[in-house]
Amino acid sequence: MRGKGEEAVRRAVWVMGLALLLSATGAVTAGSGTSVVGLARSDNTGLRQPAPLDAELTTEQIEALVRRAVEEAGGLQSVIRRDAAWIAIKVNIVEVRLPGSGVITDSRVVRAVVKLAHEAAPSARISIVEGPGEWITPDVPGAAETGASVEDGWAVAGYRALLTDPELAGIRLNLVDLNVDEAVLTQVPEPWYARQEYWVPKTVLTCDALIDVPVLKIIQAVGMTCAMKNFVGIAPGSKYGWPKLGGPQGPGLPHTTSVLDETIVDLTSLARPAFTVVDAVVGMERAKTDRHGGLPVRLNTVIAGADVVAVDATCARLIGLNPDDVEYLTLAAAKGLGQIEADRIQIKGQSLAEVGRRLEKSPTGDVWQEMGHYGQGNRTWLLLGPLSARDFSADEIDVATVRPRPGEKGWSGPVSFGDDRIDLDKYYDGPTDCVVYAYTEMTVAKEAPAELWLGSDEGLAVWLDGKEVNRFDGARRHKLPNDRVPVLLTAGRHRLLVKAGQGRGRYAFSLNVCTPEPDPRYEGNRLTGLRFVIPGGRTGGYARVTGDEGGAPSSAARVLEGARWVVNPSTLVGALEGGLRAMGDSTRSTAWLTGVTGFAFRLAVSDSLAWTDPGIDGLVPDLEVALHQCEGAGYRLEVVSGSEGDPDSRDRMASIWERVVREIDRGRPAILRRWGTFLIRGYDPRRTDYLLSTWDGDQQIPFDEIASDDGSFVAIFFGEPVKVNPIAAERASLEFAVAQAHLGDTDGGRISNGLQAYRRWAQALQAGTMTDPWAHAYHVTLLHGARVLAAEYLEDLAGRAAEPAAAHLRRAGEQYSREAEILADLDRRFGFAALGNPQRVKGVEERGEGAAMILQALAVEEQAIAEIEQALAR
């Protein structure tokens, strides 16, 4: 194979039959036979107490619903031996939430499954198991050091109560935290996709039967989280950290967009579930949790079956998704783990047509959201190139008549990519100034209108049956998609030819064929019945190009190992401190740096507190003001900014890249502002990527994808050191604190600052206009951290100031400590932990309590500012 770069093809030639299935990207079945899936909804007339679809179900009604779905699917006795000694039930309690929230598996559904498992194997011990990613019980040794929230999620979610439930009294029932269960390094049955081996808890490996009881939700990146995605929770935190992304306990799971689906299939292969019961009583649309913008949806439905793939495929269809768009389903079916095709799945009970309800997909935004909205494009292509090209408008081959065959006339054999973005940069090892042609064919069962969803970062031309249908000649940020081209597809076979151009940077394109959908909430489904096929049968062999596990940079990358973002309520100050430390200036404390730059004293809010508001990062004033304040740290900061809409945006991005390379080479990091502020700690010249340090770990992004969602981009460089009078800088920070406190409304009244921000925040919460509970919780946490640092900063200044100014600074610090205590209580009652109960921020009484606490914090803030004013007057 030509142009194969280092690690570009992880497994050079796949088993031929499997590769053929992969080439169809979803047109696969798992051998012969039919899988049975049971489907029951609360309005089923066969239930003893049918209930309307919008009714909140009782424990008894939920049990009846579970029993009906499980019976329709053949019953647990069909997969569990009567003499089984140990049954494990894998649930989803990734967050500390209440039952019925839609975020976690409802404990009442699990209660019913426990009863059914006991009836199938009366003498068996039954363990409810989970490896939560975000919490850990206080009784676990070293819990505080894991980085997880130390809380009893079992109790909040209603599971601990099952241990004393009178109706379960005769059952040997216990709870098992898979995070701390003894683990065994276990190889994935061939073929493996992301890793060859994983640590797996002994409970999962040695129980007689594992029952999967997930909750049905929309999710970013992979489209849907349900039965198979639930097995991410079997990866023990003791090996992979909390929340499975790495930490002191381990390196983390392969969890990037390019390998997450593969990870899910690997873990499902190891879990080997005997039966699945899906909790779709209350699910989530838009996202897997309200913390990410998800909305609970009452479905009052349970889905069950012994084939985990068939159950997931049925759930996808039930909520309006095409299973062909869910990569982990197509991979699992290709591996033989279960059925995906509708004609190989027998649904018993109620029909999909009767029960189905579309759920809103993940909205487009960042790359994770795009992946969940886009579906799954064609992944397998024949490739020709790279061919030298100076003029993208001139075509190098006869595009109207070309019908290549694998391995002939310079064309490659079939190449299967592990992502919707066809990574030509990786396959050809970083080519520049060239074009590559890609070819596939597709079959359509009947005539239908469709849309070609196309994406690229540079030139892209597409021909359908020899006719050009789209051409872009320029540079842009690759989106899923950039272009949507309407076409009419007749029944039969069609030819697709793509030409992708490359200057430098990332080199990829994407193509999907979707059903036209006027409502953007549901768009992005692959055209039903469409199959991508490679011409020429199985000749030429198959290769698979995989994504980077964890986004590891190439061996050519230049990295400043000591450059790390430092935890701070302000992402800008976190990047600033990380940069100073990397340059050898470690004499400043986090509190001093946050205080002297003024960020410890900031607050800005809008009525909605929505993520889309520029004022969401409530510690960041106008950028020009912020950078001026940052000069108190001893460096003049230089800004290069622009917008993707500017004619010279590409040149501006290239100049930023060249400046970053120079700075890193002389040992100086840089700062990048996108949806937050990151520290640029290195660069990868092979892929023209920035290596970033953020609050969410290390990231790697192309030089030309640095813009925020609004198209703007800002790079900040450390200029030459400036002489700073510490006393003058500290006084300036106090003057800034006073000025910001009295700033009032800005941006035409849309944003409130300082003391007015507290009042507006309380009013918005009281009135119910605060539309984003997650952002509210974020504000609480952010402000609490800032005021803790303000107290430390003022205490430090008081220790070095003369009286009587010192006394005023000391009292101001004491006031900020008091405010931090109020905010800590507000955080416990209305912060992230409270999000599991929507009424905590929606009920009138609860909103009033929260508003009162904010006003209490305001009163203390006013006293602190008054003391600072007195200190400045001395």
Side-chain angles (χ1 to χ4, degrees), residues 49-96:
Q49 294 180 305
L53 304 184
D54 60 351
E56 185 169 344
L57 304 183
T58 65
T59 300
E60 292 73 22
Q61 287 173 316
I62 288 176
E63 179 178 333
L65 202 59
V66 171
R67 286 185 175 275
R68 173 54 63 95
V70 172
E71 289 170 3
E72 294 286 8
L76 293 185
Q77 69 279 1
S78 66
V79 296
I80 299 176
R81 301 191 319 272
R82 189 162 183 81
D83 63 349
W86 189 11
I87 299 170
I89 301 175
K90 171 64 176 73
V91 298
N92 182 340
I93 330 174
V94 66
E95 299 178 28
V96 179

Side-chain angles (χ1 to χ4, degrees), residues 540-782:
Y542 282 73
R544 183 164 171 81
V545 179
T546 60
D548 291 320
E549 182 182 306
S554 75
S555 58
R558 178 72 185 273
V559 182
L560 300 179
E561 294 298 341
R564 292 288 179 185
W565 185 86
V566 178
V567 176
N568 195 286
S570 166
T571 59
L572 178 55
V573 178
L576 178 65
E577 183 173 0
L580 292 173
R581 288 185 181 183
M583 293 187 295
D585 186 350
S586 58
T587 61
R588 325 286 181 81
S589 70
T590 298
W592 187 89
L593 192 63
T594 310
V596 80
T597 56
F599 290 90
F601 306 104
R602 278 283 299 165
L603 176 63
V605 302
S606 65
D607 283 341
S608 67
L609 275 77
W611 271 123
T612 53
D613 286 334
I616 184 65
D617 191 353
L619 302 183
V620 178
D622 177 83
L623 182 61
E624 183 178 347
V625 175
L627 296 181
H628 175 71
Q629 287 299 123
C630 287
E631 289 185 7
Y635 282 87
R636 181 169 289 108
L637 300 180
E638 302 172 4
V639 176
V640 179
S641 62
S643 174
E644 285 185 319
D646 296 338
D648 64 343
S649 63
R650 187 83 170 184
D651 293 337
R652 189 73 58 88
M653 290 179 180
S655 71
I656 291 174
W657 167 263
E658 292 164 0
R659 174 78 180 268
V660 167
V661 169
R662 291 197 303 270
E663 295 296 317
I664 296 293
D665 284 349
R666 67 174 183 148
R668 296 164 68 110
I671 294 172
L672 176 65
R673 282 182 60 81
R674 297 176 82 202
W675 39 273
T677 311
F678 309 148
L679 185 67
I680 305 178
R681 60 189 297 263
Y683 66 91
D684 187 341
R686 189 184 72 79
R687 302 193 69 181
T688 332
D689 281 356
Y690 293 119
L691 308 181
L692 308 177
S693 176
T694 79
W695 60 91
D696 197 27
D698 292 341
Q699 296 182 13
Q700 186 169 345
I701 65 169
F703 88 101
D704 55 356
E705 292 186 13
I706 60 175
S708 298
D709 290 339
D710 64 359
S712 64
F713 53 90
V714 177
I716 303 170
F717 298 96
F718 290 92
E720 296 307 314
V722 295
K723 289 185 178 181
V724 176
N725 182 326
I727 296 176
E730 290 162 358
R731 181 177 181 86
S733 71
L734 300 179
E735 293 171 344
F736 176 82
V738 173
Q740 290 296 309
H742 299 299
L743 183 59
D745 292 343
T746 56
D747 194 16
R750 196 183 65 82
I751 299 293
S752 290
N753 302 271
L755 302 176
Q756 177 61 18
Y758 286 86
R759 300 185 185 97
R760 189 165 183 177
W761 186 2
Q763 292 168 358
L765 182 58
Q766 181 78 70
T769 58
M770 183 205 66
T771 58
D772 191 342
W774 195 93
H776 168 78
Y778 172 79
H779 265 75
V780 174
T781 301
L782 178 139

Side-chain angles (χ1 to χ4, degrees), residues 134-155:
E134 299 197 9
W135 58 270
I136 189 169
T137 52
D139 59 332
V140 175
E145 283 72 51
T146 63
S149 175
V150 181
E151 299 179 76
D152 191 349
W154 295 112

